Amino acid sequence: MILILICIGLVFWVLYMGIRFYRSADWDEPAESSPDFGEMRKKEAQLLHVQDVLQEACDLGKLSKTALEEYIRYADMEITHMNTIKKDWEEKSRGRS
């Protein structure tokens, strides 16, 4: 009997907390999307892997140095851009907290 009363009390408490949350939330505030950091890490790993493969091809004489340098410049630019996005998002998140 006491266990049933405790369970009923717990159910009412959960419902009460849900109603409180529902009333306190600002439902008109637009949703803010966050960057996909997992995808950014994956892309960075892919860029670095391709850079390693191209470096090996260049060492074997199958690729020109200028093509390798161009790819390295592109990869560095992309990685820097992704790191800037991540840094800006973290600063923005800290500012809201």
Side-chain angles (χ1 to χ4, degrees):
M1 182 67 180
I2 291 187
L3 185 58
I4 293 173
L5 291 175
I6 290 173
C7 289
I8 290 172
L10 185 62
V11 166
F12 281 121
W13 178 77
V14 168
L15 288 173
Y16 172 72
M17 294 306 285
I19 291 170
R20 246 180 79 192
F21 168 75
Y22 183 79
R23 287 184 181 164
S24 68
D26 183 9
W27 298 104
D28 295 327
E29 180 181 359
E32 186 174 329
S33 63
S34 63
D36 187 358
F37 295 122
E39 192 63 33
M40 286 182 180
R41 282 190 298 275
K42 183 177 176 183
K43 184 175 180 181
E44 182 178 357
Q46 288 174 342
L47 290 170
L48 294 175
H49 175 69
V50 169
Q51 185 175 336
D52 291 340
V53 170
L54 292 177
Q55 180 65 48
E56 290 175 14
C58 186
D59 293 342
L60 295 174
K62 296 181 179 180
L63 185 69
S64 69
K65 288 232 184 249
T66 56
L68 176 63
E69 290 170 1
E70 182 64 26
Y71 180 79
I72 290 173
R73 186 182 66 76
Y74 164 75
D76 288 343
M77 182 181 63
E78 286 292 312
I79 291 170
T80 302
H81 180 67
M82 288 186 288
N83 288 337
T84 302
I85 290 172
K86 183 177 179 182
K87 180 182 164 199
D88 290 346
W89 178 258
E90 288 173 351
E91 287 176 2
K92 186 177 179 182
S93 295
R94 268 190 239 124
R96 278 187 299 195
S97 298

